[in-house]
Amino acid sequence: MAALLLSLAIASLSLLSLGNIAHAAETRPGAGKTLIPSAQSNDPEEMFQTYLVGMGLRDLGYEVKEPIVAQMQATFVAVANGDATYYAAFWDPLHNSFLANLGTDKVAPVGGIVANSIQGYLIDKKTADAHGIKTIEQFADPAIAKLFDADGSGKATLYGCDPGWGCERVIEHQLDAYNLRNTVKHKQGSYTAIIGDAIERIKAGQPTLYYTWTPLWLSSVMKPGTDVTWLTVDKTSLPADQANAVTDVDGIGNLGFPVNQQRILANADSKRKSGRPEMVRTNSYPTGRH
C-alpha cells in the first residue's frame, strides 16, 4: 500500500531529524520502490516543499520521479487515481472537504510536515491604527470598506485566493456569514501575481486588505506587527466540515481560519493507472521558498 510506504518513509525521516542518520541509511526502507509526487503548477513554495520531501525520500532509498504538476483539484485526483503516489502539501483540516469527493478508500493523509500553520486576513498597520480596525466584521461598514477600494468599485478589494483553493471556499463562506458581500470584493487570480499589487500598495501607504498563510515568504516582506496587522473575528464561522477546528492563536486571537497541520496525502493503493490527460511534468527546480 502506498499509504503504508509513505508512513514508513515519514517515520524514517523522523529518525534522520533525530540524528540517527547512520541507522536510517542502513535500513534503506525505500530500496526498490518508486514514488511519484503531485504538486500545484502555480505555487513555487509548494514545489519547493515537494522537492524537499523528495530529497529526503531519495536519501532513504526511494526512486522519486519528477512531479506531476496540475491545478489544485487535479493534483488530488492524480493521487486518488494512482497517477501520483503522494501530495506533499495537504492542509488538515482546510483540504478535508476534498477527501469526501475523492473517497477515503483512495487517499489517506499520513505523517506531518509543518505544524500549526496559520492563515487569515491582514491590513496595513497604518490604516488599522488610524481607524481602529481590528476585525474583519468591521468591513461590513461601507465607510471602512471604501477606504480599501483599489479599483473604484466602492467596495474593499480583498486580495484573496486562487479559484479552487481551500481558502477560496472559506473566504466565500465568510463573505456571507459576516455580511460582507455588499462591501467587499474578492479579487482572485494567481496568488503570486495579485499579491505583488498588494505589497506595492502597502509600500505606497495605501490601505490594503489581503489574505495569506504561514509559513510563506510574504510575512518576511510585510511583517505582522510592523507593516501589517492580523484581523480577528468576533465569532468563528466556517464551512460545516471545519466547524470544530481550532481558530485561536496565542498572541493574536481568533483569526477565524483553522490552524492547520501540513501532511502528506498518499494514494491508498500502490497500483498506478495509465493515462494522464490533465497532467504535465516539470523538469525544472523551483526558485521560490516555503
Side-chain angles (χ1 to χ4, degrees):
M1 300 289 285
L4 178 59
L5 293 180
L6 264 295
S7 296
L8 290 172
I10 291 166
S12 301
L13 285 169
S14 297
L15 291 176
L16 288 175
S17 66
L18 293 172
N20 297 322
I21 298 175
H23 173 71
E26 289 173 4
T27 56
R28 302 284 286 178
K33 301 179 179 70
T34 300
L35 305 176
I36 304 174
S38 180
Q40 286 191 74
S41 58
N42 58 347
D43 192 339
E45 293 78 25
E46 184 171 302
M47 285 296 293
F48 177 86
Q49 185 164 313
T50 300
Y51 278 107
L52 190 63
V53 169
M55 290 167 64
L57 292 170
R58 287 189 184 97
D59 284 346
L60 295 170
Y62 292 90
E63 179 185 357
V64 182
K65 299 291 188 179
E66 284 294 310
I68 290 174
V69 180
Q71 296 297 318
M72 169 71 78
Q73 296 94 332
T75 63
F76 290 135
V77 171
V79 176
N81 287 348
D83 295 322
T85 320
Y86 68 91
Y87 171 66
F90 181 84
W91 281 50
D92 182 5
L94 184 65
H95 291 158
N96 285 351
S97 62
F98 292 109
L99 298 183
N101 294 326
L102 296 173
T104 54
D105 59 325
K106 294 182 178 180
V107 292
V110 296
I113 301 175
V114 182
N116 300 322
S117 294
I118 66 173
Q119 53 185 323
Y121 307 109
L122 297 97
I123 62 173
D124 61 289
K125 191 173 186 301
K126 174 185 174 183
T127 308
D129 293 344
H131 295 272
I133 303 171
K134 298 180 179 179
T135 72
I136 191 64
E137 288 99 330
Q138 288 178 261
F139 279 77
D141 180 349
I144 292 293
K146 194 171 182 179
L147 294 171
F148 296 82
D149 181 4
D151 60 7
S153 67
K155 298 182 179 182
T157 301
L158 166 60
Y159 293 87
C161 279
D162 286 50
W165 282 13
C167 48
E168 177 197 36
R169 183 164 170 264
V170 176
I171 291 173
E172 289 297 313
H173 170 91
Q174 292 180 343
L175 288 177
D176 291 323
Y178 298 141
N179 298 314
L180 303 176
R181 189 65 68 179
N182 293 326
T183 55
V184 176
K185 181 180 180 180
H186 186 188
K187 182 179 178 67
Q188 294 184 266
S190 170
Y191 185 85
T192 305
I194 67 174
I195 203 62
D197 184 38
I199 293 171
E200 291 306 311
R201 285 182 56 84
I202 295 172
K203 288 182 177 179
Q206 298 174 308
T208 307
L209 167 67
Y210 66 95
Y211 162 89
T212 198
W213 65 93
T214 67
L216 186 69
W217 58 267
L218 182 57
S219 292
S220 64
V221 175
M222 290 293 144
K223 297 181 176 61
T226 301
D227 305 302
V228 294
T229 299
W230 286 102
L231 295 179
T232 57
V233 298
D234 294 324
K235 183 179 180 180
T236 302
S237 182
L238 290 166
D241 59 283
Q242 301 175 52
N244 296 321
V246 174
T247 58
D248 285 297
V249 178
D250 289 344
I252 301 177
N254 185 356
L255 291 178
F257 280 79
V259 177
N260 280 259
Q261 315 306 315
Q262 292 189 45
R263 308 175 68 189
I264 290 178
L265 186 70
N267 173 256
D269 193 321
S270 60
K271 181 180 179 181
R272 294 191 295 275
K273 301 175 183 178
S274 61
R276 303 179 177 93
E278 297 182 80
M279 313 302 169
V280 295
R281 292 187 182 276
T282 178
N283 295 311
S284 60
Y285 282 79
T287 57
R289 66 189 187 91
H290 200 283

